[in-house]
């Protein structure tokens, strides 16, 4: 970001008078005799600047980081937060396959779309989808514990995700977007049912190593592969109809 910085000099007394009226930031650069050299980021009326400098500064976003101080988590505004109860379901965000999904969802999901999360676990991806502006999210899992955890997490995040115990073949509706972070064995059994659940794009993850990737690509014949992402040996894919 570019800023114009105005450097002024004032007698100490006049400077402190200015401070009582001026509500924005003032940088004191130097004090000489009874004068104060200072800088502000706008031109002051009735005063001639000693110098006008064009300076470049990093946007505050680039150095403001999320930090944890005991039970406090300080998060920069604009970052999407996901609260996860420490429960029994898969999906804390630590696993590479979940992280691949989050990255690909962030890039390829479009605000206003409907979405289904197959194998929702903790509900982490469903929550991310709603935070990205999904019109409706259905989260399904075959594990009753995952369904319970997903409901808890959906509530903790103030989201309205519908979460049910179901397999892909139980679902009749079709969605704009689908995400499925499963395992190769499950994809082998369920892919035919999963394929008919989305109308636009899908993100698949949980594919480990080149052999599994090759096999998975065979399963996706007829779809357009938009992106393949690899993290620590795990692959994730974005496909379009
Ligand atoms: C690897 S976890 C993914 C959890 C979470 N979505 C994530 O990305 O971190 C896979 C989940 O799929 C569920 N699952 C396994 N087979 C399934 C099936 N046939 N239909 C729906 N869910 C299934 C498991 O119970 C598990 O919760």
């Amino acid at each position: 970001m570019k800023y114009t910085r105005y450097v002024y000099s004032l007698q100490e007394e006049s400077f402190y008078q200015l401070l009582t009226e001026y509500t924005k930031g003032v940088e004191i650069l130097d004090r000489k005799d009874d004068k104060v050299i200072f800088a502000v980021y706008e031109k002051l009326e009735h005063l001639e600047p000693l110098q006008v400098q064009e300076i470049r500064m990093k946007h505050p976003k680039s150095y403001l980081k999320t930090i944890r101080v005991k039970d406090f988590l300080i998060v920069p505004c604009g970052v999407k937060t996901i609260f996860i109860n420490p429960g029994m379901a898969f999906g804390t965000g630590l696993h590479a396959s979940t992280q691949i999904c989050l990255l690909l969802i962030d890039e390829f999901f479009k605000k206003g779309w409907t979405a289904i999360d197959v194998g929702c676990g903790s509900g982490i991806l469903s929550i991310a989808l709603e935070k990205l502006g999904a019109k409706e999210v259905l989260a399904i899992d075959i594990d009753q514990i995952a369904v319970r955890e997903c409901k808890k997490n959906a509530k903790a995040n103030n989201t309205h995700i519908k979460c049910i115990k179901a397999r892909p073949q139980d679902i009749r509706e079709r969605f704009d977007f689908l995400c499925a972070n499963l395992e190769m064995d499950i994809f082998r059994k369920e892919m035919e049912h999963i394929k008919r659940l989305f109308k636009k794009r899908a993100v698949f993850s949980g594919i480990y190593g080149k052999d599994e990737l090759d096999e998975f690509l065979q399963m996706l014949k007829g779809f357009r592969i938009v992106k393949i992402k690899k993290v620590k040996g795990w692959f994730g894919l974005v496909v379009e109809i």
Side-chain angles (χ1 to χ4, degrees), residues 84-85 87-92 117-127 139-155 161-166 181-182:
I84 298 290
N85 280 298
M88 301 286 287
F90 187 104
T92 55
D117 175 8
V118 178
C120 60
S122 67
I124 185 166
L125 303 180
S126 297
I127 295 162
I140 64 165
D141 205 294
I142 47 162
D143 179 5
Q144 189 57 55
I145 295 174
V147 172
R148 194 185 66 209
E149 296 294 327
C150 179
K151 283 183 180 168
K152 260 202 231 168
N153 288 321
K155 203 170 166 202
I161 294 152
K162 185 175 171 198
C163 182
I164 56 168
K165 183 170 183 280
N181 177 16
L182 300 166

